[in-house]
Amino acid sequence: GNLDSAITTYKKAISIYQQINANFSDIESSYTNLWCTYAQKGDVNGFNELKNTLQKIYFSQKREADYYRQLWAATTLLPSDKIKAFTNELLSELSILDIPLQINLLIRLADENLNINPNNTILYIERSLYIITQSDYKDTAFGWLFNLYQLYSLAYQKQGNLDLAITNAQQALKYFEKCNDVTDKVHQQLPFRLVNLYLDNKKYEKAVELENILISLTKQVYGGESSEYITNMNIVGICLMYNGEYRKAIKTFKSLFSLMQKLGGENSIG
């Protein structure tokens, strides 16, 4: 964690290598470690100066792809507010990177733009999806696709387009269920968010259909006496009420009241 001392030591190592006329292959790891340390510290001047040095060396050796891979690795350590100029360079030569590096970069940019400019998030996602569909990963990229469609949904929600937010949230859930771990909290949170989107869009029947799955998941993940379970039972009652199933809604609210009394007494019922 002592970045200043690390920088001083890497520079000393590079200086000694240069004094004995070492090959670049010997010095390379010290250069790239120094680059990453500048990034961790957020020292843009040091980062940019070393970037220019390494670019000349890599390009003179016709190793452009290695340069962009190292640039990708270093920029992943830069603070988000200092990454833009360097990611623009990466984007301009994106096809030089391996597919996983391309997609991981685009997902990061999509995520970082979500609250600033959802339009940019959508553009980065669409570019990612195109790359995936044209690659050998198209039938196995479930983790990427889950992340991308989740961001897609959030971006459209921020734009007020609930129909597309719902469509993409459904896709996110579908791809998440194809990933290895389908029992963790994320699996519960995805249908929970989708149910709330249905409620916001007044699709009460859809919300009721999904709530049956959500209640089971919530009980499995958090337990039948958790605040998460109570929250979801309340949403079930609301869904049933707006869907015109008043008797079922009343029955659900009565069960909820009994559970809340059991857990917290009369004061727990608002």
Side-chain angles (χ1 to χ4, degrees), residues 2 10 15 17 22 53 56 59 86 96 105 112 122 125 138 142 146 153 173 192 208-209 214 218 221 245 248 258 262:
N2 191 336
Y10 286 133
S15 175
Y17 274 128
T53 298
K56 290 175 184 176
F59 277 49
F86 306 109
I96 291 178
L105 174 65
E112 288 176 351
I122 291 168
I125 291 166
K138 60 184 177 183
F142 304 133
F146 152 63
S153 176
L173 180 58
F192 178 74
V208 170
E209 289 175 7
L214 180 56
T218 304
V221 175
E245 299 184 55
K248 288 183 179 179
S258 297
K262 175 186 173 183

Side-chain angles (χ1 to χ4, degrees), residues 2 6 9 24 46 60 75 93 105 112 115 120-121 126 165 198 214-215 220 243-244:
N2 191 336
T9 307
F24 177 68
S60 70
T75 54
E93 302 292 342
L105 174 65
E112 288 176 351
N115 294 318
N120 281 350
T121 294
E126 288 173 348
Y198 283 143
L214 180 56
I215 286 294
Q220 178 183 335
N243 209 37

Side-chain angles (χ1 to χ4, degrees), residues 126-149:
E126 288 173 348
R127 189 168 180 181
S128 299
L129 292 173
Y130 176 78
I131 291 169
I132 291 170
T133 57
Q134 302 301 308
S135 75
D136 294 336
Y137 294 93
K138 60 184 177 183
D139 298 321
T140 57
F142 304 133
W144 282 337
L145 292 168
F146 152 63
N147 279 309
L148 288 166
Y149 279 106

Side-chain angles (χ1 to χ4, degrees), residues 5 48 60 78 103 105 127-128 138 141-142 156 163 176 202 211 214 227 230-233 236-237 266:
S5 293
N48 197 40
S60 70
L78 276 170
I103 301 302
L105 174 65
R127 189 168 180 181
S128 299
K138 60 184 177 183
F142 304 133
Y156 280 121
D163 285 329
F176 183 81
K202 297 181 172 54
E211 266 297 341
L214 180 56
S227 59
I230 289 170
T231 297
N232 281 291
M233 286 290 288
V236 169
E266 294 291 339

